[in-house]
Amino acid sequence: MKDRYIDVEDLIAARATPPGISALAIVRVAGPGCVDAVSRAFSRPERLRAAEGRTLVRGALLDIRDGRPVDDLVAAVFRAPESPTGQDQVDFMTHGSPAVVAAVVDALAALGFRKALPGEFSFRAFVAGKADLVESEAIDELSRARTAQAREAALRRLGGGPSAEIARIRTEVHELLAACEVLLDYPEDEVAGNLTSRLPAARGAVEALAKLSAGHAGARLRLEGARVAVAGRTNAGKSSLFNRFLREERSIVSDEHGTTRDWIEASVDLEGIPIVLHDTAGLRSTDDRTEAEGVRRSRLLLESADLILYVVDGTVGLAEEDGEFLAERPDALPVWNKADAPGCGPVPEGFHSVSALDGRGFQDLALAMVARLPGGSGSADGLAGERQAALVEAARASLSDAIAAIGAGEPLDLVSLDLRAASDSLGELTGETASPDVLETIFTRFCVGK
Amino acid sequence: MKDRYIDVEDLIAARATPPGISALAIVRVAGPGCVDAVSRAFSRPERLRAAEGRTLVRGALLDIRDGRPVDDLVAAVFRAPESPTGQDQVDFMTHGSPAVVAAVVDALAALGFRKALPGEFSFRAFVAGKADLVESEAIDELSRARTAQAREAALRRLGGGPSAEIARIRTEVHELLAACEVLLDYPEDEVAGNLTSRLPAARGAVEALAKLSAGHAGARLRLEGARVAVAGRTNAGKSSLFNRFLREERSIVSDEHGTTRDWIEASVDLEGIPIVLHDTAGLRSTDDRTEAEGVRRSRLLLESADLILYVVDGTVGLAEEDGEFLAERPDALPVWNKADAPGCGPVPEGFHSVSALDGRGFQDLALAMVARLPGGSGSADGLAGERQAALVEAARASLSDAIAAIGAGEPLDLVSLDLRAASDSLGELTGETASPDVLETIFTRFCVGK
């Protein structure tokens, strides 16, 4: 960890709620002795200084430079080690005004509180053993969860479900490693049986790691979501299909101030997967000058999409242009629209028959879309992070190699190296053996105040 | 008050922090028995149910429909009457994710909490006698304060400074009214002296009201701010002057995500007054088609501005166009720019000589601008609201009339009517005699969660 994070003794402060006007905001401070420090600038210093952990103290925060009140607020006092950060900590519940929050942070700076770095509170919780790395990352994942499934899965990761499983597997690796090393030290002894007797449990650990590894794609998809582009010829019914999605699926509230009102893009919850739908139709314009730009943007959308829905008007039938597109993009999901219309032709092979008008075929289309997305058939319950998945896979490969080497009677010092590699991967996963650089990379991804 | 606010016994819930992704959010609930109600869906029901006021309880909120955890959170418990609303109240400090907040509010709805109306928590505090109307309105004013002066003044109003003064004045009116009514009931008695002996104090009350009334414009200006348009011919140095303002004055952080980066508009703190500066220069374009639109928007800006700075290049001198503008808009503040340049001509009468380049004359210009704005010479300390100012002025007029009528020996029943009118105005000001409609109008201006 680079210098800047090293000093967990610093007094730090940061706004922990979003910016903007509201009823309340929270400014969080932490660090050894922080309650005493803020008491110096509090209207009821003795009361705050003497406050027990997990109590609320109402009063005014003052600016020590001139003694003027900055805000009337409520101080939520936490005492080490029973606090979110494991340190003495105060969450000031202030009035929800940007000017008030700025003035509170400024008054705290005058008391010696420096502005907290992104993720610095979480880092302190990690250092204090309040959360391992998988749990710490789940805090960030929880913030980013856009569907109920993603939120519940992040909450389970936060609650330590995968962490306990990983700890169990790592213990298994350590047992096998210990048996190896005893045998290395005392090759003549009758302890060889210890090693082979551990092999079934070690194979179970490989299976558990393979399961964790396989669960990643599903968890990642539920957390990060996917982009789906709706393409097709003019009048194929792209916009109607788009609107039908908005009616049938639960739309995602990314921000209560209003998700996009632009019909070109919308977010929906498709079986627990946060999907951003793009209607490429909206990009065309009758204006000659903007036509080229529209086509360029449509192409970009199609290239960046995780899935393309290609819509054909079933009452018109396949045109040459449709065939060309589908030949060029065999990964697109072809949709035969206007199934409600009397003149709708027979559904070509591989097409999904739907009616954007009355919604028929729509549920089947949604399931087909989910099945096409990487991880779609999985659940939200695995490890969502790329870093985590890579380490699980590395641990699985190393442990698997070690078991194979034992079976093949290879030298135990080589086996031991594989087992150490597996242990290191798992240790990096939970943070026990993660390097400062890795920790910094992880925690600086968090927002300030977290 | 219309039906919807009437039931202060309802269990209500609302997000109290701004929307968006962050470390924490607050969802506030209030109402008699609300702690018991939320305990039904808490992972540690007995602990929460037994929580004393002003304590924090950590646990998981569950969805009672399926028992699944919604979030790990900290419940800040307040007990009636020692709570912000005067009722049992819980501020849930949740993870700061829109999906989490939405799920928490949804889980609370399943427990029978309806979504709080705008200002409903503040209304309950008012009903419980925690704050009078002037103090309640100050909560909203505090949120909207953009400069330190405005924030401190709102904090003083919130702390009850003006409220105490108004209560003192109203008591004075009641004393005078009582003396009048004794004299009406016992006209033969020797109590007439009571009435005249109260007159000096009553005159003092009129003066105090006049002072409150006079303080309004200054307070309003510091809270609401003003719009200043920078106009002038091409190359007069409008943009340089604009940029100099941004360098010299403290720019206002209206939102940490970034105030406008558009150089056409910027917010600065000019001696405690939040000023939105508009550079009309930016609206012109070389494109013929947008020229007309630019001129139209410039005109609108000039019409809606509270003050116009009209910039003339001192090295070029006054042109016919300048004279025409200043004749048409004699309220504009004329600025003689480029005072740094050797070729700058003598400053015409009424012009402020400045250099946008080196900043000379700038401080004088800022003071001249403040002096030109309505209320600019006042302080931030009066009552900022229009409603409040109108009621203070009405009370002053009524009380003044009553004193004049007493002096002129007019019938005491007429004097008594004036005094009652003064009392009613003051009662409406603090909310003691405000009608339900007035209360509704005031509290619905607040945001939800407040």
Side-chain angles (χ1 to χ4, degrees):
Chain A
M1 174 114 334
K2 288 177 194 159
D3 288 344
R4 51 191 214 135
Y5 264 146
I6 266 177
D7 202 345
V8 295
E9 308 282 303
D10 276 4
L11 296 177
I12 54 173
R15 171 176 58 73
T17 44
I21 289 182
S22 57
L24 301 171
I26 295 174
V27 175
R28 170 169 282 186
V29 305
C34 75
V35 181
D36 282 356
V38 294
S39 296
R40 288 172 52 215
F42 202 68
S43 59
R44 303 159 72 199
E46 293 313 323
R47 182 66 180 272
L48 184 56
R49 194 172 288 121
E52 288 181 33
R54 294 184 177 160
T55 62
L56 298 165
V57 182
R58 194 172 173 176
L61 185 72
L62 313 171
D63 190 322
I64 48 158
R65 289 162 296 196
D66 54 16
R68 288 154 84 171
V70 175
D71 193 21
D72 269 331
L73 41 72
V74 173
V77 179
F78 299 88
R79 293 290 187 176
E82 300 288 313
S83 74
T85 53
Q87 305 189 314
D88 275 4
Q89 180 179 328
V90 181
D91 287 358
F92 287 109
M93 296 156 79
T94 75
H95 283 97
S97 138
V100 167
V101 170
V104 166
V105 170
D106 187 51
L108 291 167
L111 289 170
F113 286 80
R114 72 165 163 80
K115 194 158 184 194
L117 300 166
E120 194 166 10
F121 294 106
S122 299
F123 175 68
R124 293 189 176 192
F126 167 74
V127 169
K130 291 276 166 181
D132 71 12
L133 265 194
V134 171
E135 291 164 324
S136 298
E137 290 184 278
I139 295 172
D140 194 46
E141 290 161 7
L142 187 59
S143 297
R144 291 188 290 120
R146 284 172 287 163
T147 68
Q149 281 90 330
R151 178 175 53 72
E152 288 173 6
L155 208 54
R156 281 189 287 271
R157 290 190 288 271
L158 182 58
S163 298
E165 171 83 344
I166 294 159
R168 194 187 61 71
I169 294 170
R170 197 166 181 230
T171 302
E172 207 52 59
V173 172
H174 289 171
E175 295 280 2
L176 197 60
L177 185 60
C180 258
E181 296 193 334
V182 167
L183 211 54
L184 273 170
D185 290 345
Y186 309 99
E188 67 289 350
D189 272 8
E190 65 284 359
V191 290
N194 281 355
L195 185 59
T196 47
S197 73
R198 294 224 69 87
L199 284 180
R203 285 192 197 100
V206 170
E207 266 170 49
L209 286 167
K211 207 173 151 194
L212 270 177
S213 193
H216 166 62
R220 184 180 174 284
L221 181 63
R222 267 86 192 166
L223 181 65
E224 307 295 347
R227 303 170 78 82
V228 174
V230 182
R233 286 194 296 142
T234 311
N235 295 329
K238 294 186 293 296
S239 295
S240 317
L241 193 79
F242 189 85
N243 292 341
R244 169 60 58 181
F245 265 107
L246 295 186
R247 264 202 301 282
E248 300 268 329
E249 303 297 323
R250 185 205 284 249
S251 115
I252 291 175
V253 182
S254 61
D255 183 313
E256 290 175 42
H257 271 333
T259 28
T260 172
R261 280 186 206 91
D262 188 343
W263 288 98
I264 293 170
E265 185 179 316
S267 297
V268 294
D269 176 345
L270 196 77
E271 310 284 322
I273 301 166
I275 296 283
V276 179
L277 274 177
H278 297 277
D279 180 2
T280 60
L283 296 176
R284 290 265 169 131
S285 156
T286 51
D287 183 333
D288 276 349
R289 280 209 301 183
T290 55
E291 176 77 24
E293 173 64 13
V295 169
R296 194 185 67 82
R297 290 178 61 190
S298 288
R299 203 164 283 153
L300 275 178
L301 267 184
L302 292 176
E303 277 165 19
S304 67
D306 297 293
L307 180 64
I308 297 168
L309 290 189
Y310 189 83
V311 189
V312 175
D313 182 342
T315 66
V316 170
L318 277 168
E320 198 177 334
E321 198 182 332
D322 298 325
E324 281 168 12
F325 186 96
L326 290 170
E328 201 182 308
R329 296 296 305 250
D331 55 335
L333 199 61
V335 177
W336 196 248
N337 192 21
K338 308 198 185 170
D340 58 281
C344 188
V347 185
E349 206 190 316
F351 274 72
H352 287 267
S353 168
V354 304
S355 163
L357 192 70
D358 64 19
R360 82 180 70 167
F362 198 87
Q363 195 50 36
D364 283 349
L365 175 63
L367 293 175
M369 289 168 66
V370 170
R372 278 287 185 97
L373 291 167
S377 55
S379 83
D381 251 342
L383 296 170
E386 299 299 331
R387 180 192 83 90
Q388 300 169 342
L391 289 167
V392 164
E393 185 48 31
R396 190 204 58 74
S398 299
L399 182 55
S400 184
D401 285 354
I403 292 169
I406 292 168
E410 288 183 25
L412 285 181
D413 49 355
L414 294 183
V415 171
S416 167
L417 282 180
D418 276 335
L419 291 174
R420 279 178 198 284
S423 168
D424 283 353
S425 294
L426 295 173
E428 193 172 325
L429 182 55
T430 58
E432 281 171 80
T433 61
S435 73
D437 278 353
V438 167
L439 294 178
E440 167 142 352
T441 305
I442 291 170
F443 285 101
T444 50
R445 270 205 316 255
F446 290 22
C447 53
V448 170
K450 204 167 257 179
Chain B
M1 174 113 336
K2 286 175 193 158
D3 288 345
R4 52 193 213 134
Y5 264 148
I6 265 177
D7 203 345
V8 295
E9 309 281 305
D10 277 4
L11 296 177
I12 55 173
R15 172 175 57 72
T17 44
I21 288 181
S22 57
L24 301 171
I26 296 174
V27 176
R28 170 169 281 185
V29 304
C34 75
V35 181
D36 283 354
V38 295
S39 296
R40 288 171 54 213
F42 203 68
S43 59
R44 304 159 73 199
E46 293 312 323
R47 183 66 180 272
L48 185 56
R49 194 172 287 121
E52 287 181 33
R54 295 184 175 158
T55 61
L56 299 164
V57 182
R58 194 172 174 175
L61 185 71
L62 312 171
D63 189 322
I64 48 157
R65 289 163 295 197
D66 55 16
R68 290 154 83 172
V70 174
D71 192 21
D72 270 331
L73 40 73
V74 173
V77 179
F78 299 88
R79 293 290 188 175
E82 300 289 313
S83 74
T85 53
Q87 305 189 315
D88 276 4
Q89 180 178 327
V90 181
D91 286 358
F92 287 109
M93 296 158 78
T94 75
H95 283 97
S97 138
V100 167
V101 170
V104 166
V105 170
D106 187 50
L108 291 168
L111 289 169
F113 285 79
R114 72 166 163 79
K115 192 155 187 198
L117 300 166
E120 194 166 9
F121 294 106
S122 299
F123 174 68
R124 291 189 176 191
F126 167 75
V127 169
K130 292 273 165 181
D132 71 12
L133 264 194
V134 171
E135 291 164 323
S136 297
E137 289 184 279
I139 295 172
D140 194 45
E141 289 161 8
L142 187 59
S143 297
R144 290 187 290 120
R146 285 172 287 163
T147 67
Q149 282 89 330
R151 178 175 53 73
E152 288 173 5
L155 208 54
R156 281 189 288 271
R157 290 191 287 271
L158 182 58
S163 298
E165 171 82 345
I166 294 159
R168 194 187 61 71
I169 295 170
R170 197 166 181 229
T171 303
E172 207 53 61
V173 172
H174 289 172
E175 295 280 1
L176 198 61
L177 186 59
C180 260
E181 295 192 337
V182 167
L183 211 55
L184 274 169
D185 290 346
Y186 310 99
E188 67 288 349
D189 272 4
E190 66 284 1
V191 290
N194 281 354
L195 185 59
T196 48
S197 74
R198 294 224 69 87
L199 283 180
R203 284 191 197 99
V206 170
E207 267 170 48
L209 286 168
K211 206 172 151 196
L212 269 176
S213 193
H216 166 62
R220 183 179 174 284
L221 180 63
R222 268 88 192 164
L223 182 65
E224 307 295 347
R227 304 170 79 82
V228 174
V230 183
R233 285 194 296 142
T234 310
N235 296 329
K238 294 186 293 295
S239 295
S240 317
L241 193 80
F242 189 85
N243 292 341
R244 170 59 58 180
F245 265 107
L246 296 187
R247 264 201 302 281
E248 301 268 331
E249 304 296 325
R250 184 205 285 248
S251 116
I252 291 175
V253 182
S254 61
D255 183 314
E256 289 175 42
H257 270 334
T259 30
T260 173
R261 280 185 208 91
D262 189 342
W263 289 99
I264 293 169
E265 185 179 313
S267 297
V268 294
D269 176 346
L270 195 77
E271 310 284 322
I273 301 166
I275 296 283
V276 179
L277 274 176
H278 298 277
D279 179 3
T280 60
L283 296 176
R284 289 265 168 132
S285 158
T286 52
D287 183 333
D288 276 350
R289 280 209 304 183
T290 54
E291 175 77 24
E293 174 63 12
V295 169
R296 195 185 66 83
R297 289 178 62 191
S298 289
R299 202 165 283 153
L300 275 178
L301 268 184
L302 292 176
E303 277 166 19
S304 68
D306 297 295
L307 179 64
I308 296 168
L309 292 188
Y310 190 82
V311 190
V312 174
D313 182 342
T315 66
V316 170
L318 277 168
E320 196 178 336
E321 199 183 330
D322 298 325
E324 280 169 13
F325 186 97
L326 291 169
E328 203 183 307
R329 298 295 304 251
D331 54 336
L333 198 61
V335 177
W336 195 250
N337 192 21
K338 308 197 185 170
D340 58 279
C344 189
V347 185
E349 203 191 317
F351 273 72
H352 287 265
S353 169
V354 303
S355 163
L357 193 69
D358 63 19
R360 82 181 69 166
F362 199 87
Q363 195 51 36
D364 283 349
L365 175 62
L367 293 176
M369 289 168 65
V370 170
R372 278 288 186 96
L373 291 167
S377 55
S379 83
D381 250 342
L383 296 170
E386 299 298 331
R387 181 193 82 90
Q388 301 170 341
L391 289 168
V392 165
E393 185 47 33
R396 191 204 57 75
S398 299
L399 181 55
S400 184
D401 285 354
I403 292 169
I406 291 168
E410 287 183 26
L412 285 180
D413 48 356
L414 294 182
V415 171
S416 165
L417 281 179
D418 276 335
L419 291 174
R420 277 177 200 284
S423 168
D424 283 352
S425 294
L426 295 172
E428 193 171 326
L429 181 55
T430 57
E432 281 172 81
T433 61
S435 72
D437 277 354
V438 167
L439 294 177
E440 167 142 352
T441 305
I442 290 170
F443 285 100
T444 50
R445 270 205 316 254
F446 290 22
C447 53
V448 170
K450 202 165 257 180

